[in-house]
Amino acid sequence: MFLRLTMATALCCLILFGITFALAQPPTANQMPSVVQVPAEAQPSPHFDATAATNAYLAQIPPDKTARSDAYFEGVYWLILWDFLAGVIVALLLLNLRWSARMRDLAERVTRFKPVHTFVYWLQYLILTSILVFPLTVYEDYFREHKYGLATQTFGPWMGDQLKNLAVNLVLGGVLAMLLFGVVRRLPRTWWIWGAAVTILFLFFVVLITPVYLIPIFNKVTRLDDPKIVDPILSMARANGISAKDVYEMDASRQTTRMSANVSGLANTMRITLNDNLLRRGSPEEIQAVMGHEMGHYVMNHLYKEIMFDSIVTVLAFAYLYWGLAWVLQRWGEKWQIRGVGDTAVLPLVVLLVSIAGFVFTPIANTFTRTQEHEADMYGLNASRQPDGFAQAAIHLGEYRKMNPGPIEQWIFFDHPSGRNRIYSAMRWKAENLNLFSPHQEAH
Ligand SMILES: [Zn+2]
């Protein structure tokens, strides 16, 4: 079976290579302008007005760039729906055609050892579902990203990353599946509590190993050593009580043109990483503004708070699964040939129930993250004192995020504040700190 699936993948690749050659001329990147000069309305003056300064910054973006960025970001709203529906259809196919039951039967023929059943089932499930949704994946992550000039990879390396991703999911997902089915089989009444506990510990483990073991699978991470960039960052870190000695750089340009930075890891693996797109295209003021934001995440323990939030969600999800699975299995379990909650063949149903809840939960999860991002923005402005660098960063990030959404749209779909809100925050900060900016000095 595995060989046949591999051949099917190879065939898909060949067909797609054909299409890639047709696209030989890459579309141009939707690069937002680098604002070399701070606009007149944003220059310090006795008449400084935060709204006028915000509008002056926004006016620097050519309308065609805004239109393209809006089209890219609004397309994602629909993709959330298509991804959800594709997941639902795949799960229902696996259950109703009893492919899930057959994969379980095959796993049982391979060995009598229960944890290995689970792993063999997981292997088949992961490969089959990856192939079924592959057309959507390749459109979403490859063709669409190229169409908007955000992707930098040709098809071969992109597919390589997809296969690496599959391997990571195979190992990590396989371990989690073995642990959870073990818990469910041993503790039929209380598995939802212990299952949640195991999942939360697993989450801690994954966050802990991410910067050291997972990111290097896909990208090269190096210590930044250019003193022109590192010295102001470390000075800002010391001023804020962060005992950092190193800042890391990641070659994100291998996959994307997006500029970004992040905080990853836990305890002694925790670190701040800038990507090379930011280092190459960002002004020193902009890089400092972004680093101030990342230090905000660090100082306010956002990663721990996020794990706390995820832990509460995990407990609720397991309680929902405990009742939901029992209810559904009572009605359709026999038809789908699923023996019970401890039977690995139940997995597509678990994924179905979780994705329904996750779809409804999208705005709440986005609002949690967006609130933290706003906090980091406020911290970053205070720490870096670079409101103009911050406004420039917001414009650059507008290459892949709609600049000026409506309030409900932002509440549902945005996991970061919109570009307009971020520029306004920066200009409001500047309005209250005009004494830091000499009115005669040309902004740089
Ligand atoms: Zn952030």
Side-chain angles (χ1 to χ4, degrees), residues 261 293-294 297 372-373 376-377 416 422:
H293 169 99
E294 300 305 329
H297 284 310
Q372 285 199 335
E373 293 299 334
D377 282 356
H416 283 67
R422 292 183 117 169

Side-chain angles (χ1 to χ4, degrees), residues 150-349:
L150 292 166
T152 55
Q153 274 175 316
T154 52
F155 192 78
W158 177 83
M159 195 63 210
D161 275 0
Q162 293 294 311
L163 293 174
K164 284 183 192 171
N165 194 31
L166 191 72
V168 170
N169 281 335
L170 180 68
V171 175
L172 290 180
V175 170
L176 184 63
M178 288 195 285
L179 288 169
L180 288 179
F181 277 107
V183 169
V184 173
R185 287 180 197 128
R186 274 171 193 76
L187 305 160
R189 278 169 201 284
T190 52
W191 62 260
W192 66 277
I193 300 168
W194 298 109
V198 166
T199 307
I200 292 163
L201 287 176
F202 191 78
L203 183 69
F204 265 100
F205 169 73
V206 172
V207 176
L208 183 75
I209 66 166
T210 294
V212 190
Y213 294 106
L214 297 184
I215 292 173
I217 296 174
F218 301 92
N219 288 91
K220 211 170 97 195
V221 181
T222 45
R223 278 188 174 82
L224 251 179
D225 50 15
D226 180 357
K228 273 211 308 287
I229 296 165
V230 177
D231 289 351
I233 293 172
L234 290 184
S235 160
M236 200 199 307
R238 283 191 299 272
N240 287 278
I242 301 169
S243 59
K245 284 189 185 60
D246 295 305
V247 183
Y248 292 83
E249 174 187 357
M250 189 178 96
D251 65 341
S253 60
R254 213 176 85 75
Q255 289 99 353
T256 177
T257 61
R258 292 171 163 84
M259 294 167 74
S260 74
N262 67 59
V263 179
S264 62
L266 279 183
N268 56 0
T269 71
M270 198 179 258
R271 56 172 67 170
I272 293 177
T273 310
L274 289 90
N275 84 15
D276 57 348
N277 295 321
L278 173 66
L279 286 167
R280 209 181 52 250
R281 290 178 52 210
S283 65
E285 293 83 358
E286 186 174 355
I287 293 173
Q288 284 169 39
V290 172
M291 288 310 281
H293 169 99
E294 300 305 329
M295 285 177 197
H297 284 310
Y298 183 92
V299 169
M300 291 185 277
N301 293 310
H302 279 170
L303 268 175
Y304 291 103
K305 289 174 186 167
E306 197 177 315
I307 292 179
M308 202 68 110
F309 177 77
D310 291 345
S311 300
I312 295 166
V313 174
T314 302
V315 173
L316 292 175
F318 269 85
Y320 154 78
L321 278 177
Y322 183 76
W323 303 111
L325 286 173
W327 190 84
V328 177
L329 284 179
Q330 205 177 18
R331 271 156 195 81
W332 295 287
E334 213 164 315
K335 182 179 170 222
W336 295 334
Q337 295 173 3
I338 301 171
R339 298 168 196 147
V341 197
D343 178 0
T344 45
V346 81
L347 190 65
L349 178 59

